[in-house]
Amino acid sequence: MSVVKIFLYPDPILRAKAKEIEDIDERVVRLAEDMAETMYVAPGVGLAAPQVGVSERLIVVDVRYPEGEKELITLINPEILEVEGKVNWEEGCLSLPGIKEQVARAERVLVRGYDLNEKERQIEAEGLLAVALQHEIDHLDGILFIDRISRLKRGIIQRKIRKIMREGPEGGKGDYNLF
Ligand code: NI
């Protein structure tokens, strides 16, 4: 396992629609392991393959760490089957350091995907896990959390992003969730 580079906005790979994975081979297993390691070190609660430069449909999520025991979820070709309710959550993204914003998400989701043993998994999630899954699956479709906020706020954030790209993120890693 190794920590790999996280691609930052505005890298075009973050805007591409990621490809379905057809074979869960050794390469995919290694990619998933590297992504998990990278997420834990960041630290973040989720990471999608395009964020490490691979335009394929693979995500890792762990909303328990670093407070609790590790509870890693690896999902290949994940899709959202059902959504319910609405929630606003303060999100940040490992590919957009220094930016955080309230994002409207579904409160509960039912997600289906495959694990590394090619076994189908269905996950019913709410709260942070539901938000993290939606954020990561968005990444696979080239969607960033800044696309899901109001146009007014997006204008303000665009100016902040340009400043961060010039001068680097201000302050530390922040006390909000990074996906
Ligand atoms: Ni993100």
Side-chain angles (χ1 to χ4, degrees), residues 43-107:
V45 298
L47 195 64
Q51 292 181 278
V52 298
V54 180
S55 195
E56 295 179 36
R57 304 187 81 80
L58 167 59
I59 64 171
V60 292
V61 174
D62 190 337
V63 298
R64 298 262 297 147
Y65 193 76
E67 273 80 28
E69 292 286 298
K70 283 184 184 175
E71 204 173 279
L72 178 65
I73 296 170
T74 300
L75 279 183
I76 291 151
N77 301 335
E79 49 183 332
I80 295 173
L81 299 181
E82 286 170 30
V83 297
E84 197 182 278
K86 262 193 162 183
V87 68
N88 282 304
W89 207 278
E90 186 157 81
E91 296 185 23
C93 179
L94 291 168
S95 296
L96 275 156
I99 303 288
K100 62 174 172 178
E101 199 51 66
Q102 292 279 336
V103 182
R105 298 284 188 186
E107 194 176 12

XYZ file of all heavy atoms in Angstrom, residues 43-107:
494
model
N -6.150 13.585 6.484
C -7.117 12.503 6.519
C -8.442 12.960 5.919
O -8.809 14.110 5.989
C -7.270 12.273 8.029
C -7.080 13.622 8.646
C -6.186 14.407 7.720
N -9.142 11.983 5.330
C -10.464 12.270 4.786
C -11.385 11.123 5.127
O -10.953 10.092 5.658
N -12.661 11.278 4.833
C -13.634 10.218 5.117
C -14.087 9.507 3.844
O -14.880 8.571 3.897
C -14.853 10.743 5.901
C -14.425 11.286 7.257
C -15.599 11.819 5.126
N -13.567 9.959 2.698
C -13.907 9.299 1.446
C -12.963 9.753 0.349
O -12.347 10.820 0.447
N -12.842 8.908 -0.672
C -11.990 9.254 -1.815
C -12.493 8.475 -3.028
O -12.880 7.308 -2.909
C -10.532 8.887 -1.503
C -9.439 9.474 -2.400
C -9.369 11.002 -2.290
C -8.077 8.878 -2.047
N -12.500 9.143 -4.177
C -12.933 8.500 -5.420
C -11.728 8.390 -6.355
O -10.835 9.245 -6.331
C -14.034 9.332 -6.075
N -11.715 7.338 -7.180
C -10.552 7.065 -8.028
C -10.127 8.268 -8.889
O -8.923 8.511 -9.030
C -10.807 5.830 -8.887
N -11.069 9.036 -9.462
C -10.610 10.188 -10.261
C -9.752 11.164 -9.455
O -8.906 11.856 -10.022
C -11.931 10.847 -10.703
C -12.927 9.738 -10.692
C -12.530 8.859 -9.544
N -9.951 11.197 -8.146
C -9.152 12.097 -7.302
C -7.694 11.656 -7.199
O -6.849 12.425 -6.744
C -9.745 12.183 -5.890
C -11.089 12.895 -5.846
C -11.600 12.963 -4.423
O -12.184 12.022 -3.915
N -11.366 14.089 -3.756
N -7.418 10.409 -7.561
C -6.021 9.973 -7.594
C -5.580 9.720 -9.042
O -4.629 8.990 -9.305
C -5.746 8.730 -6.696
C -6.029 9.065 -5.241
C -6.578 7.529 -7.123
N -6.308 10.320 -9.966
C -5.873 10.310 -11.360
C -6.328 9.114 -12.169
O -5.811 8.880 -13.263
N -7.284 8.330 -11.638
C -7.763 7.147 -12.364
C -9.261 7.321 -12.634
O -10.072 7.337 -11.716
C -7.522 5.858 -11.544
C -8.018 4.637 -12.319
C -6.045 5.714 -11.197
N -9.614 7.428 -13.906
C -10.999 7.725 -14.262
C -11.819 6.436 -14.347
O -12.279 6.022 -15.400
C -11.037 8.493 -15.584
O -12.308 9.065 -15.762
N -11.978 5.780 -13.192
C -12.724 4.527 -13.106
C -13.636 4.576 -11.886
O -13.377 5.305 -10.931
C -11.759 3.334 -13.025
C -10.950 3.204 -14.303
C -9.968 2.049 -14.274
O -10.288 1.001 -13.687
O -8.870 2.207 -14.837
N -14.702 3.717 -11.930
C -15.756 3.831 -10.927
C -15.439 3.005 -9.670
O -15.886 1.875 -9.506
C -17.124 3.470 -11.536
C -17.436 4.338 -12.752
C -18.823 4.142 -13.291
N -19.819 4.887 -12.544
C -20.077 6.190 -12.700
N -19.386 6.910 -13.569
N -21.011 6.763 -11.994
N -14.658 3.626 -8.808
C -14.222 2.996 -7.560
C -14.158 4.077 -6.483
O -13.616 5.151 -6.715
C -12.841 2.362 -7.779
C -12.030 1.911 -6.567
C -12.776 0.874 -5.746
C -10.701 1.330 -7.025
N -14.769 3.771 -5.323
C -14.707 4.717 -4.202
C -14.326 3.985 -2.916
O -14.584 2.783 -2.772
C -16.051 5.459 -3.975
C -17.175 4.491 -3.580
C -16.448 6.256 -5.218
C -18.484 5.186 -3.138
N -13.709 4.713 -2.013
C -13.485 4.204 -0.658
C -14.076 5.226 0.312
O -14.012 6.425 0.078
C -11.991 3.965 -0.341
C -11.441 2.811 -1.161
C -11.155 5.222 -0.559
N -14.676 4.720 1.380
C -15.305 5.575 2.388
C -15.041 4.968 3.765
O -15.095 3.751 3.934
C -16.840 5.669 2.152
C -17.516 6.427 3.281
C -17.153 6.342 0.814
N -14.710 5.811 4.717
C -14.664 5.374 6.115
C -15.017 6.573 6.986
O -14.205 7.470 7.166
C -13.285 4.819 6.490
C -13.312 4.136 7.860
O -14.212 4.460 8.668
O -12.446 3.289 8.115
N -16.246 6.581 7.476
C -16.703 7.734 8.260
C -16.455 7.535 9.758
O -16.768 8.405 10.563
C -18.197 8.047 8.012
C -18.426 8.416 6.557
C -19.091 6.896 8.416
N -15.880 6.400 10.134
C -15.627 6.131 11.561
C -14.255 6.665 11.979
O -14.101 7.206 13.059
C -15.672 4.624 11.814
C -17.015 4.012 11.498
C -17.861 3.844 12.728
N -17.244 2.918 13.665
C -17.345 3.029 14.985
N -18.027 4.020 15.503
N -16.774 2.152 15.782
N -13.265 6.457 11.142
C -11.913 6.872 11.426
C -11.794 8.381 11.213
O -12.465 8.900 10.326
C -10.988 6.107 10.460
C -9.532 6.158 10.788
C -9.017 5.390 11.819
C -8.677 6.979 10.061
C -7.671 5.440 12.120
C -7.335 7.029 10.358
C -6.843 6.253 11.384
O -5.517 6.313 11.677
N -11.006 9.164 11.942
C -10.041 8.725 12.944
C -10.607 8.625 14.363
O -9.876 8.209 15.257
C -8.970 9.821 12.877
C -9.693 11.040 12.480
C -10.872 10.580 11.657
N -11.904 8.964 14.571
C -12.437 8.915 15.941
C -12.613 7.479 16.436
O -12.353 7.175 17.585
C -13.772 9.668 16.045
C -13.626 11.154 16.319
C -13.294 11.949 15.078
O -13.676 11.498 13.975
O -12.636 12.998 15.197
N -13.096 6.593 15.560
C -13.369 5.226 15.999
C -12.463 4.216 15.317
O -11.429 4.556 14.766
N -12.865 2.961 15.388
C -12.158 1.888 14.697
C -12.342 2.067 13.192
O -13.371 2.560 12.744
C -12.773 0.538 15.088
C -12.554 0.140 16.519
C -11.127 -0.291 16.764
O -10.690 -1.281 16.156
O -10.440 0.389 17.560
N -11.375 1.633 12.433
C -11.522 1.706 10.976
C -12.694 0.833 10.519
O -12.901 -0.266 11.025
C -10.238 1.241 10.292
C -9.148 2.299 10.338
C -7.913 1.867 9.566
C -6.828 2.917 9.725
N -5.558 2.507 9.091
N -13.468 1.369 9.571
C -14.595 0.624 9.027
C -14.681 0.966 7.544
O -15.527 1.735 7.104
C -15.877 1.031 9.767
C -16.966 -0.015 9.721
C -18.126 0.395 10.616
O -18.022 0.184 11.845
O -19.124 0.913 10.100
N -13.737 0.403 6.822
C -13.546 0.773 5.416
C -14.616 0.146 4.518
O -14.898 -1.044 4.602
C -12.153 0.308 4.965
C -11.792 0.562 3.499
C -11.725 2.053 3.203
C -10.464 -0.110 3.169
N -15.187 0.983 3.680
C -16.103 0.506 2.640
C -15.439 0.769 1.296
O -15.068 1.908 0.996
C -17.461 1.249 2.716
C -18.175 0.946 4.027
C -18.334 0.883 1.519
C -19.401 1.828 4.268
N -15.268 -0.276 0.509
C -14.746 -0.138 -0.850
C -15.858 -0.542 -1.793
O -16.411 -1.631 -1.668
C -13.522 -1.062 -1.057
O -12.514 -0.688 -0.113
C -12.969 -0.938 -2.466
N -16.204 0.323 -2.720
C -17.297 0.018 -3.643
C -16.865 0.240 -5.087
O -16.349 1.298 -5.439
C -18.522 0.880 -3.358
C -19.465 0.466 -2.228
C -20.644 1.418 -2.191
C -19.954 -0.978 -2.379
N -17.115 -0.789 -5.880
C -16.823 -0.742 -7.309
C -18.140 -0.572 -8.060
O -19.144 -1.211 -7.708
C -16.086 -2.031 -7.714
C -14.681 -1.997 -7.067
C -15.969 -2.159 -9.226
C -14.111 -3.326 -6.776
N -18.114 0.297 -9.052
C -19.312 0.619 -9.847
C -20.526 0.932 -8.958
O -21.625 0.393 -9.173
C -19.656 -0.529 -10.808
C -18.524 -0.823 -11.772
O -17.705 0.041 -12.065
N -18.470 -2.052 -12.274
N -20.365 1.810 -7.977
C -21.488 2.092 -7.076
C -22.589 2.879 -7.783
O -22.304 3.689 -8.664
C -20.847 2.958 -5.985
C -19.730 3.655 -6.677
C -19.206 2.669 -7.694
N -23.819 2.597 -7.398
C -24.928 3.402 -7.912
C -25.955 3.625 -6.807
O -26.149 2.778 -5.932
C -25.571 2.759 -9.142
C -25.895 1.313 -8.987
C -26.463 0.705 -10.268
O -27.085 1.430 -11.062
O -26.288 -0.508 -10.463
N -26.594 4.769 -6.886
C -27.614 5.113 -5.905
C -28.945 4.569 -6.408
O -29.395 4.915 -7.498
C -27.679 6.636 -5.694
C -26.358 7.116 -5.069
C -28.865 7.005 -4.800
C -26.221 8.626 -4.958
N -29.562 3.685 -5.629
C -30.832 3.078 -6.036
C -32.027 3.871 -5.528
O -33.036 3.987 -6.205
C -30.930 1.649 -5.497
C -29.870 0.641 -5.954
C -30.154 -0.714 -5.337
C -29.812 0.536 -7.472
N -31.898 4.375 -4.298
C -33.021 5.098 -3.699
C -32.508 6.252 -2.864
O -31.449 6.149 -2.243
C -33.820 4.163 -2.767
C -34.679 3.151 -3.494
C -35.263 2.106 -2.551
O -35.500 2.421 -1.365
O -35.459 0.973 -3.008
N -33.269 7.339 -2.855
C -32.950 8.468 -1.969
C -34.203 8.858 -1.199
O -35.319 8.624 -1.661
C -32.430 9.704 -2.746
C -31.137 9.404 -3.461
C -33.482 10.217 -3.727
N -33.971 9.435 -0.028
C -35.105 9.847 0.791
C -34.695 11.030 1.666
O -33.583 11.056 2.196
C -35.498 8.675 1.686
C -36.887 8.779 2.293
C -37.147 7.594 3.208
O -37.523 6.528 2.700
O -36.959 7.760 4.427
N -35.576 12.001 1.790
C -35.334 13.121 2.691
C -34.306 14.107 2.164
O -33.755 13.937 1.077
N -34.079 15.138 2.958
C -33.118 16.176 2.585
C -32.331 16.583 3.803
O -32.870 16.640 4.911
C -33.857 17.405 2.039
C -33.900 17.438 0.521
C -34.334 18.798 0.022
C -33.964 18.970 -1.444
N -34.310 20.311 -1.934
N -31.051 16.883 3.599
C -30.220 17.323 4.709
C -29.179 18.302 4.161
O -28.758 18.181 3.011
C -29.554 16.093 5.390
C -28.533 15.423 4.489
C -28.926 16.454 6.718
N -28.824 19.289 4.971
C -27.711 20.176 4.617
C -26.500 19.762 5.423
O -26.590 19.582 6.633
C -28.071 21.635 4.916
C -28.976 22.200 3.852
O -28.644 22.181 2.665
N -30.123 22.693 4.260
N -25.378 19.614 4.752
C -24.175 19.130 5.425
C -23.000 19.997 5.003
O -22.886 20.337 3.822
C -23.909 17.672 5.017
C -23.153 16.922 6.065
C -21.800 16.947 6.253
C -23.684 16.049 7.058
N -21.467 16.150 7.313
C -22.601 15.578 7.824
C -24.980 15.623 7.384
C -22.756 14.695 8.891
C -25.128 14.748 8.443
C -24.028 14.287 9.181
N -22.145 20.327 5.946
C -20.957 21.103 5.589
C -19.903 20.166 5.009
O -19.430 19.259 5.671
C -20.405 21.819 6.817
C -19.264 22.740 6.461
C -19.087 23.840 7.490
O -18.466 23.564 8.528
O -19.562 24.963 7.253
N -19.575 20.403 3.742
C -18.649 19.510 3.043
C -17.384 20.244 2.629
O -17.398 21.430 2.347
C -19.313 18.950 1.777
C -20.512 18.088 2.071
C -21.087 17.432 0.815
O -20.362 17.264 -0.187
O -22.281 17.105 0.846
N -16.337 19.470 2.578
C -15.096 19.907 1.965
C -14.646 18.785 1.059
O -15.206 17.695 1.095
N -13.651 19.039 0.242
C -13.198 18.016 -0.710
C -11.676 17.999 -0.726
O -11.046 19.058 -0.751
C -13.740 18.354 -2.101
S -13.236 17.176 -3.359
N -11.106 16.808 -0.708
C -9.647 16.690 -0.718
C -9.050 17.276 -1.988
O -7.870 17.606 -2.023
C -9.235 15.220 -0.555
C -9.530 14.618 0.825
C -9.378 13.102 0.802
C -8.615 15.227 1.882
N -9.865 17.415 -3.032
C -9.382 17.996 -4.289
C -9.593 19.511 -4.347
O -9.224 20.144 -5.342
C -10.084 17.328 -5.484
O -9.733 15.958 -5.540
N -10.188 20.064 -3.299
C -10.427 21.514 -3.231
C -10.039 22.030 -1.848
O -10.896 22.518 -1.095
C -11.911 21.815 -3.475
C -12.391 21.947 -4.909
C -13.878 21.666 -4.997
C -12.097 23.344 -5.435
N -8.771 21.910 -1.493
C -8.379 22.254 -0.120
C -8.708 23.701 0.218
O -8.534 24.592 -0.601
C -6.868 21.997 -0.096
C -6.445 21.891 -1.510
C -7.635 21.464 -2.296
N -9.215 23.900 1.433
C -9.479 25.254 1.911
C -10.889 25.739 1.668
O -11.258 26.818 2.109
N -11.707 24.944 0.968
C -13.077 25.352 0.672
C -14.041 24.462 1.447
O -13.909 23.237 1.438
C -13.385 25.196 -0.837
C -12.397 25.995 -1.689
C -14.831 25.587 -1.144
C -12.580 27.482 -1.633
N -15.012 25.080 2.115
C -16.076 24.290 2.733
C -17.394 25.007 2.516
O -17.429 26.237 2.464
C -15.813 24.061 4.222
C -15.760 25.334 5.037
C -15.650 25.031 6.517
C -15.397 26.306 7.296
N -15.315 26.099 8.728
N -18.444 24.245 2.371
C -19.745 24.862 2.105
C -20.856 23.901 2.492
O -20.676 22.678 2.480
C -19.830 25.198 0.610
C -20.873 26.219 0.254
C -20.785 27.496 1.101
O -19.790 28.233 0.996
O -21.734 27.720 1.870
N -21.996 24.468 2.836
C -23.186 23.662 3.095
C -23.733 23.148 1.772
O -23.910 23.928 0.837
C -24.265 24.529 3.751
C -23.943 25.000 5.152
C -24.220 23.945 6.202
O -25.036 23.039 5.987
N -23.541 24.038 7.329
N -23.973 21.864 1.716
C -24.482 21.265 0.489
C -25.779 20.525 0.817
O -25.869 19.840 1.837
C -23.454 20.272 -0.109
C -23.959 19.691 -1.421
C -22.114 20.966 -0.330
N -26.783 20.678 -0.053
C -28.046 19.961 0.129
C -27.893 18.549 -0.443
O -27.520 18.377 -1.601
C -29.173 20.702 -0.578
N -28.174 17.566 0.374
C -28.063 16.155 -0.035
C -29.320 15.409 0.386
O -30.086 15.888 1.224
C -26.868 15.488 0.665
C -25.517 16.070 0.343
C -25.038 15.649 -1.023
N -23.654 16.072 -1.253
C -23.040 15.925 -2.413
N -23.652 15.362 -3.449
N -21.801 16.336 -2.561
N -29.467 14.211 -0.142
C -30.499 13.319 0.367
C -30.076 12.870 1.763
O -28.898 12.657 2.033
C -30.665 12.122 -0.553
N -31.057 12.713 2.634
C -30.764 12.339 4.019
C -30.415 10.855 4.131
O -29.562 10.457 4.914
C -32.000 12.647 4.870
C -31.756 12.641 6.349
C -33.005 13.051 7.110
O -34.103 13.127 6.503
O -32.888 13.281 8.321
